[in-house]
């Protein structure tokens, strides 16, 4: 572990960790459930398309739904058994809505289908390597669920200098990455090497918050040439992608840009381990490590869970007292969302399940903003949360954008510190969704107008053709000629107005949050 | 099993508005203790009258505006306003002085603007300035500090003086007891062309500032530092305000030592420390961005010096705060923090 120059980001919080109960726990294999519920969409992008029908027998690792389009990921059977349903089921999503899932009744044999491990990935072309990762259904395991192979594509001119692995895990309660780093350092390092090869990256940094010394040591001991383990100060949200990049490299990802714009690609440590398994063992993404914790859980710990395992099953296994759960949170207490139904399954992005928190979660009544500025100091993005709140509340959506609403990462620091207990983040979510709705409506209106214009044009053209035919039949007489002239004039006017509208439309379609 | 949906974050800091206000009141205690030690029971009577009036006015206005009484009456903001106002009043001022001041502060300066969080001007300072302008005689009659007093006024006597204007037993009136404050005296004498060195040897003055005022200000300083330590207030405003005042005072003192009081004298002889840590830092009426707070604090400091030195009143903190209150929207607008991933512009 070399000491390395670090940078810091403004704002952020020192949060109570609540990690002690689950930190020391070794990763335990969760029991195989009777039924696995596999949502078709466990990633950002298009939902996968089912490849099986009810009654089909499937083997572990078999593709049961294929990716639809570029931004998508396939879904695999996480154990062997029979497909018993293809229907809408509760899924882990902030909306609390149901979505299409494939339900597999497991046969307990856990029988594998075919696997094709790669002997030496260095001899494989990066694009082929990416394709293997794509077929393995790997998406970002940190929480966002962005298909991994896309982020491993450096583009036509390779410009990646640094691959960063995110082991910061800054949210309270969550310890799954820490457990993974401690126990499977070798897999992470090998995965990092594969990723670096695919990206043609110059070097790799693994950022770990310094409250995880054991993970740092173990990982540093396993680290290969060109891979550096860097302990960083413990401060929420150091695990935010942009914040981590700033801390490690001093560079800021441009507001509307991507890390690749500054030569950086960032992946979660769990994703690296999944890449290792996909390439070296030919195993698609079938399970993940997650933390189960919270006030209502008797035995908090880190579990390796098959994707599709119903949450109810995990709660029972860890001795949760269901009746005493005031809220069931997927993800951390700062950015996680609550679940409506404990029948929802574990998906690729599930890093933590919290059954109740140790602190009082009742939201005290909101008082008026006293302009104390605590939110301004806490915001890691440098926003004015209080101004955003005023404008969101007044539905001044333009103003919220002037105050950079879309730079807000919804980290919750502002709402955490607000002495008036104003649910600030809710206001930002509301404003964002209002703006998106308006955008959509405008697009719809544009489409409708275009259709109308096409119709008008077609009618005018038909009229003209009819007139022309009539003219051809009859001897040319003055009145009809004047009629055709009129038609031509109308046609010209229509065309002029169309050109004008088209010009207006391109002006309107400028990105709405241009700086 | 089904569960209710909530929006993140699911964690919140314990500190609410009432805890903040409570901490401010706690931090005022050393200053209050020193103040009443030097100036007697009048200080405490002022506080009691102002707090009672403030709570009554707040309750009245909340009822009139149809707001929940319990939530807002217990937020502590009215108490803080009342205590700050009371600390600016001369001890043993007639009872109606704190009453009118507190009622005006709460009703006009706070609730007519929309209550907690909506008032553009610091209510305590609005109340104080109203009193200062309307009742200049009552507002400038200060008791001498303990060491200088020919006669120490007991509790019984203090109450009689406050409520009737005279003591039955001794036939003493407030007028007979009171005199000018150190700031007042220094200003008048400097105006008459007396050099500062001669003014300073008067019994009204102690080691560095006004007799007694040094320790009262030390009390406020202590409380202020504790508030900083507890992160109830940020360092920007006190530092900028004290810094700018000190720099101005040092400059003028350097130019003409006889004609201007020393920087230290400025610091400990009036309301500057109370102003820097407790009044200018009032969150509702101060600038809210970190950079803005530096400008705001510096503005208050400069204006205080200007008003003290060349203005019509001996102490300028209240006017400086109110003047800067007016500039807050402008300051906040032009001092947003740099947004992550955006270039400085
Ligand atoms: S923290 Fe809350 S009360 Fe303070 S300025 Fe921000 S929104 Fe207002
Ligand atoms: S939720 Fe948004 S506004 Fe609030 S602190 Fe985080 S980034 Fe800033």
């Amino acid at each position: 572990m070399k000491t390395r120059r670090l940078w810091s980001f403004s704002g952020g919080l020192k949060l109570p960790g609540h990690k002690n109960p689950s930190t020391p726990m070794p990763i335990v294999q969760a029991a195989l459930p009777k039924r696995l519920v596999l949502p078709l969409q466990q990633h950002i992008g298009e939902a996968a398309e089912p490849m099986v029908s009810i009654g089909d027998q499937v083997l572990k690792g078999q593709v049961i739904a294929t990716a639809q389009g570029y931004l998508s990921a396939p879904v695999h059977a996480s154990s062997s058994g029979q497909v018993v349903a293809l229907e809408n089921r509760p899924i882990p999503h902030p909306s609390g809505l149901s979505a299409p899932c494939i339900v597999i009744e497991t046969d307990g044999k856990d029988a594998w289908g075919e696997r094709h491990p790669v002997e030496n990935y260095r001899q494989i072309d990066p694009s082929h390597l990416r394709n293997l990762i794509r077929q393995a259904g790997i998406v970002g395991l940190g929480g966002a669920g962005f298909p991994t192979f896309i982020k491993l594509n450096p583009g036509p001119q390779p410009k990646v200098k640094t691959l960063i692995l995110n082991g910061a895990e800054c949210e309270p309660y969550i310890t799954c990455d820490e457990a993974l780093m401690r126990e499977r350092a070798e897999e992470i390092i090998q995965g990092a090497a594969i990723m670096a090869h695919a990206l043609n990256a110059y070097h790799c940094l693994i950022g770990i918050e310094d409250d995880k010394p054991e993970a740092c040591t173990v990982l540093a001991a396993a680290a290969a040439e060109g891979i550096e383990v860097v302990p960083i100060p413990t401060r929420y949200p150091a695990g935010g992608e942009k914040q981590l990049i700033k801390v490690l490299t001093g560079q800021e990802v441009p507001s509307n840009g991507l890390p690749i714009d500054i030569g950086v690609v960032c992946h979660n440590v769990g994703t690296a381990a999944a890449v290792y398994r996909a390439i070296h063992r030919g195993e698609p993404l079938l399970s993940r490590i997650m933390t189960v914790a919270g006030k209502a859980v008797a035995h908090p710990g880190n579990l390796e869970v098959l994707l599709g395992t119903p949450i109810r099953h995990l709660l029972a296994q860890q001795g949760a007292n269901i009746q005493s759960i005031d809220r069931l949170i997927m993800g951390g207490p700062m950015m996680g969302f609550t679940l409506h139904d404990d029948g929802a399954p574990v998906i690729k992005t599930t890093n933590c399940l919290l059954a109740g928190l140790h602190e009082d979660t009742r939201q005290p009544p909101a008082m008026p903003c006293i302009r104390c500025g605590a939110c301004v100091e806490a915001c890691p993005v440098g926003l004015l949360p209080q101004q955003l709140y005023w404008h969101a509340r007044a539905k001044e959506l333009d103003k919220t954008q002037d105050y950079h609403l879309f730079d807000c990462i919804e980290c919750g620091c502002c709402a955490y510190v607000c002495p008036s207990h104003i649910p600030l983040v809710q206001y930002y979510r509301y404003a964002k969704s209002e703006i998106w709705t308006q955008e959509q409506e405008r697009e719809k209106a544009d489409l409708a107008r275009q259709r109308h214009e096409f119709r008008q044009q077609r009618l005018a053209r038909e009229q003209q053709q009819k007139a022309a035919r009539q003219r051809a039949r009859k001897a040319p007489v003055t009145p009809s000629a004047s009629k055709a002239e009129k038609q031509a004039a109308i046609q010209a006017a229509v065309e002029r107005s169309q050109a004008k509208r088209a010009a207006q439309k391109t002006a309107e379609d400028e990105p709405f949050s241009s700086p | 099993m089904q569960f209710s949906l909530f929006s993140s974050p699911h964690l919140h800091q314990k500190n609410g508005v009432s805890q903040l206000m409570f901490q401010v009141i706690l931090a005022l205690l050393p200053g209050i203790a020193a103040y009443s030690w030097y100036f007697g029971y009048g200080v405490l009577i002022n506080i009691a009258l102002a707090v009672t009036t403030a709570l009554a006015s707040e309750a009245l206005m909340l009822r009139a505006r149809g707001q929940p009484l319990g939530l807002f009456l217990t937020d502590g903001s009215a108490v803080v306003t009342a205590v700050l106002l009371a600390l600016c009043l001369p001890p043993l001022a007639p009872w109606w002085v704190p009453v009118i001041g507190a009622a005006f502060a709460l009703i006009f300066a706070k609730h007519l603007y929309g209550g907690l969080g909506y008032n553009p001007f610091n209510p305590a300072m609005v109340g104080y300035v109203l009193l200062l302008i309307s009742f200049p005689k009552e507002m400038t009659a200060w008791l001498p500090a303990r060491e200088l007093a020919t006669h120490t006024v007991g509790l019984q006597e203090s109450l009689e003086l406050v409520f009737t204007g005279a003591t039955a037993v001794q036939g003493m009136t407030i007028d007979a007891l009171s005199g000018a404050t150190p700031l007042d005296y220094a200003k008048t004498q400097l105006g008459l062309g007396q050099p500062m060195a001669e003014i300073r040897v008067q019994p009204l003055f102690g080691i560095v500032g006004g007799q007694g005022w040094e320790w009262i200000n030390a009390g406020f300083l202590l409380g202020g530092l504790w508030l900083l330590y507890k992160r109830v207030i940020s360092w920007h405003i006190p530092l900028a305000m004290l810094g700018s005042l000190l720099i101005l005072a040092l400059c003028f003192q350097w130019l003409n030592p006889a004609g201007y009081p020393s920087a230290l004298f400025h610091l400990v002889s009036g309301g500057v420390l109370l102003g820097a840590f407790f009044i200018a830092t009032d969150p509702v009426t101060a600038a809210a961005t970190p950079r803005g707070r530096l400008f705001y604090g510096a503005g208050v400091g400069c204006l205080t010096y200007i008003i003290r030195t060349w203005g019509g009143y001996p102490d300028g903190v209240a006017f400086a705060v109110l003047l800067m209150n007016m500039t807050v929207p402008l300051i906040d607008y032009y001092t947003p923090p740099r947004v992550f991933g955006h270039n400085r512009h």
Side-chain angles (χ1 to χ4, degrees), chain B residues 112-203:
Chain B
L112 290 191
Y113 280 108
L116 178 69
Y118 291 90
N119 48 303
F121 296 104
N122 186 315
M125 292 303 100
V126 172
Y128 170 76
V129 166
L130 170 90
L131 293 171
L132 195 62
I133 295 172
S134 315
F135 313 108
K137 183 165 149 289
E138 283 78 5
M139 286 297 285
T140 48
W142 286 73
L143 286 184
R146 181 183 194 87
E147 278 87 349
L148 313 169
T150 46
H151 168 75
T152 0
V153 191
L155 178 59
Q156 165 92 38
E157 264 182 292
S158 302
L159 287 170
E160 283 173 17
L161 282 168
V162 165
F163 284 101
T164 65
T167 62
V169 196
Q170 318 235 335
M172 195 92 76
T173 60
I174 293 180
D175 290 346
L177 281 169
S178 58
T181 63
L183 271 184
D184 214 355
Y185 183 81
K187 189 176 172 84
T188 325
Q189 294 306 308
L190 281 171
L192 297 174
Q194 239 190 347
M196 198 55 210
E198 274 172 42
I199 301 173
R200 285 280 280 106
V201 296
Q202 296 293 318

